[in-house]
Structure formats: C-alpha cells, structure tokens
Amino acid sequence: MSSPRFTLRDFDFELPAQLIAQHPCVQRSASRLLDGRSHPPTDRIFHQLPGLLQPGDLLVFNDTQVVKARLFGEKASGGKLELLIERVLPGGSEVVAHMKVSKKPLPGARLHLCGGLAHGGFDATLLGRWPDANGPLFHLALHGPEGASAWQLMERHGHLPLPPYIERQQASGHDPDAAEDSERYQTVFARQPGAVAAPTAALHFDAAVLAALAERGVETANVTLHVGAGTFQPVKTEDLAQHQMHSEWYDIPLPTLAALERCRQRGGRILAVGTTSVRTLESWAASGKTTGDTNIFITPGFQFQVVDLLLTNFHLPKSTLMMLVSAFAGYDCIRALYQHAIGQQYRFFSYGDAMLLQRA
C-alpha cells in the first residue's frame, strides 16, 4: 500500500563511510540505543531497554539461525564461482542459490564446490532457474559423500555470509575474523537454521538483558523468518509500486499466538524485535496464515495491525527497510532520527547500534 507522494529518492541519505560498523561492539548490550519515542530523542545504552518497557509488554524475537551458506567452487572449465544458498528444498539434497560467476553455466552443468567430490568437497548439478525458467535464483542438486545433506555440506564447507558492506572476508574463504563472526553474527536465541543474514536488532540481547526483562515482568515469544539475501538488494525503481519484493519463509508457533492474545487481553504492548518480526506478524495479520512465504512490502500508508513498538538497527539508504521504518514511525520522524544518529556518530547497519520506535 504505497503512498503516491513517496518515490525511491525520498529514502536516500548521505552516510559517512566510517559510520558503517565493521565489527560488533565489544559487549552485545553495550551498543548504543537511540530512544526515538519522544522529540527530541534520547541517547541511551542498550542494556537500559528493560527499564523503558512496562510489565505486561511482549517482546517478539526472530529465532532464525544464520547458516554457513557461502560456498566457493569452480565450473568444469575451471572458471571460479561463488554460491549463496538461499533455501534448502524439502528432501535436503536440492537447494536454490544466488550464483556469482563470469559466465553463467547451462542446465546440466556439473559444478565442483570446495575442491569437488574428488578432493574432499562436493559436486552440484545445475537443474535450472528458480522459481521459474526466468527466475533470479539457480536450482541445484548437491552430491556429497555418503549422501550428506545440504545442511551437513554447508556446516562442513561453508562460510558465514556477511553482508556486502562488511568489507572483510568478502572475496575469499579465508577470514581471520571468522571465529568472532560465528559467535557475534548470531543471536543468543538462534534455534531454527535457514537464514543467510542475521535479524540484527536481536544481536544486542545477552543473558543479562533477558534476565532483566523477565524480572521487569516483560514476556518474550519467538517467531521464525528465514532472512534472505534479498534483504540487501537495493530498490531500483523510482516508482515503489513497480518494485518486486523478495519472498521469505516464516512461521508463528502456537505458544506465540497464545502470548500475543494474552498481551492484548491485559492491555500490554507488542514490541517487535527487528523488521523481520514486523514482517512476520503483519503478514499473519493480513493473510491469517501462521506459516508460509511472505513478500509483504511495507511502505508509508501501510496500516499496522499488530506491532506497537519496534526495536531496529539503522538501515541502508533506498532500502525496503528504510521504507518499513518510515511507515511505522512516520517519514519525518525517521528523517530526523537518522540525522541525529549521524550527527552523534551512531554505528550503522548489521553490527551497528539500535533504536526504539513507537508506531505513529
């Protein structure tokens, strides 16, 4: 439901490169928190979050787990390639993936990943494009030793798919920071494998903050949305209505539905931790489906039905996530908050700081 007065350029802004966080904060909950619920906003530290909430409020986390979906290999001709596995299909041996290669192979081509089956790695056969013949992704059958599943092959040979704006490890599989990333580019409550990007607003939570929330009388619940690489794809059409939104799989378990109902009954507020939790909850509200694929595109004018508060990191210019937070808190409010954050040297994007927003 895009508003006609907004175009792509309305969501652009100048960001000094030095504000793009390349490493996580030393301690998860020591990140900064911009409290954007009042004007002017208040500069806080993340561990203060429990004191900003009320007994009876409900926090909804995304418990997706980032998988080692980045794989390096070559074609039979020797040409180098890189795969980013977006989804493992039912059965566990076929996947759909993004492919970075100089010349795209044809269906039937045999690819050698991580040295190939003959050298301790595995092979793949290209079956075609996905979800149709002109689709943006590639459909592959994986051939590992002793019938190893795609999950096992990724765990054995894959690399964590850091976002493109984290400028280390991006060109090869050799990364001195891999140990730090494997711990910190994962939430402390990650349970359901399947994401190629972390739900970054949740990276700030640690055991101490979770304990303080419980002590405060704030309930927590989980949803799952497997974040896809499309979350980083820039919008290329000036007219937002022309943008083709990427699709992601989500699930809302029965205990979470019960927690949402209890929260509403007692007059509590629902706080979505991250834009992925917002997309999940509002997809359910719009469709009535507790599980499935969503390509919900939230832009100014969208009518929110579930979420009252949003905890989120700072997003890329011209991104669908900038549009979502503008729809939630108000376009002018977000412009002012981002201006404040840049002026106060907040850290941006996945490993950056957070902000707390109230629905306009």
Side-chain angles (χ1 to χ4, degrees):
M1 305 176 200
S2 60
S3 166
R5 74 183 185 90
F6 290 106
T7 61
L8 180 60
R9 73 190 70 178
D10 292 317
F11 301 94
D12 198 10
F13 62 92
E14 288 292 323
L15 180 68
Q18 68 269 22
L19 296 187
I20 301 173
Q22 297 297 313
H23 292 271
C25 190
V26 176
Q27 198 179 344
R28 286 182 188 266
S29 60
S31 301
R32 296 169 77 189
L33 174 64
L34 180 57
D35 186 351
R37 295 172 303 158
S38 61
H39 183 75
T42 308
D43 300 304
R44 303 185 187 274
I45 304 298
F46 191 84
H47 62 67
Q48 297 174 307
L49 176 69
L52 307 180
L53 302 177
Q54 300 163 3
D57 286 346
L58 173 68
L59 261 73
V60 181
F61 297 113
N62 181 3
D63 65 2
T64 188
Q65 185 178 348
V66 185
V67 292
K68 295 178 179 177
R70 202 163 185 237
L71 298 156
F72 298 90
E74 56 188 37
K75 298 186 287 186
S77 63
K80 301 291 182 198
L81 63 86
E82 180 186 325
L83 291 183
L84 180 62
I85 294 179
E86 178 88 8
R87 188 177 296 203
V88 177
L89 297 176
S93 63
E94 294 183 11
V95 300
V96 293
H98 302 264
M99 189 186 303
K100 200 183 282 185
V101 64
S102 58
K103 189 180 177 187
K104 299 281 192 274
L106 297 171
R110 190 87 166 184
L111 311 176
H112 306 297
L113 283 308
C114 314
L117 200 51
H119 299 95
F122 63 100
D123 290 348
T125 303
L126 178 59
L127 303 177
R129 300 298 274 259
W130 195 88
D132 52 45
N134 300 309
L137 300 174
F138 292 83
H139 182 188
L140 301 138
L142 306 188
H143 315 291
E146 298 162 1
S149 71
W151 300 110
Q152 291 168 321
L153 294 172
M154 282 191 282
E155 187 56 38
R156 226 173 274 170
H157 302 286
H159 302 271
L160 212 59
L162 291 181
Y165 44 73
I166 293 180
E167 293 173 352
R168 49 194 173 79
Q169 187 240 328
Q170 300 300 293
S172 73
H174 308 289
D175 175 26
D177 299 301
E180 174 190 66
D181 293 321
S182 67
E183 182 197 352
R184 296 297 302 278
Y185 194 65
Q186 201 79 270
T187 67
V188 296
F189 35 73
R191 297 283 180 277
Q192 310 291 343
V196 301
T200 56
L203 295 177
H204 307 286
F205 287 85
D206 55 21
V209 171
L210 292 172
L213 286 165
E215 196 175 324
R216 179 83 171 153
V218 174
E219 198 177 358
T220 59
N222 295 330
V223 296
T224 305
L225 181 139
H226 291 323
V227 192
T231 194
F232 301 118
Q233 286 172 355
V235 179
K236 293 175 180 171
T237 59
E238 199 59 39
D239 176 4
L240 304 185
Q242 300 300 311
H243 176 64
Q244 182 61 51
M245 191 69 178
H246 62 283
S247 183
E248 293 165 318
W249 182 88
Y250 74 92
D251 180 63
I252 304 177
L254 282 172
T256 298
L257 293 173
L260 290 162
E261 181 58 29
R262 284 196 304 274
C263 182
R264 282 289 181 242
Q265 292 292 336
R266 65 178 174 251
R269 298 171 302 174
I270 293 166
L271 189 160
V273 178
T275 55
T276 60
S277 294
V278 174
R279 283 168 51 74
T280 302
L281 293 170
E282 297 297 338
S283 293
W284 160 62
S287 69
K289 295 178 181 174
T290 56
T291 189
D293 284 275
T294 178
N295 61 353
I296 192 170
F297 185 21
I298 297 176
T299 59
F302 183 87
Q303 299 299 310
F304 291 87
Q305 298 182 63
V306 182
V307 181
D308 303 304
L309 295 166
L310 168 60
L311 187 74
T312 184
N313 279 19
F314 294 93
H315 303 294
L316 288 153
K318 295 184 172 181
S319 63
T320 59
L321 303 181
M322 273 299 288
M323 296 164 197
L324 185 154
V325 295
S326 299
F328 186 81
Y331 178 81
D332 293 333
C333 171
I334 292 297
R335 296 301 286 191
L337 288 172
Y338 271 63
Q339 199 172 357
H340 176 93
I342 292 168
Q344 294 299 312
Q345 305 279 291
Y346 274 71
R347 300 163 78 244
F348 274 65
F349 306 159
S350 295
Y351 275 151
D353 298 314
M355 64 177 170
L356 180 62
L357 301 172
Q358 193 164 279
R359 187 171 75 198

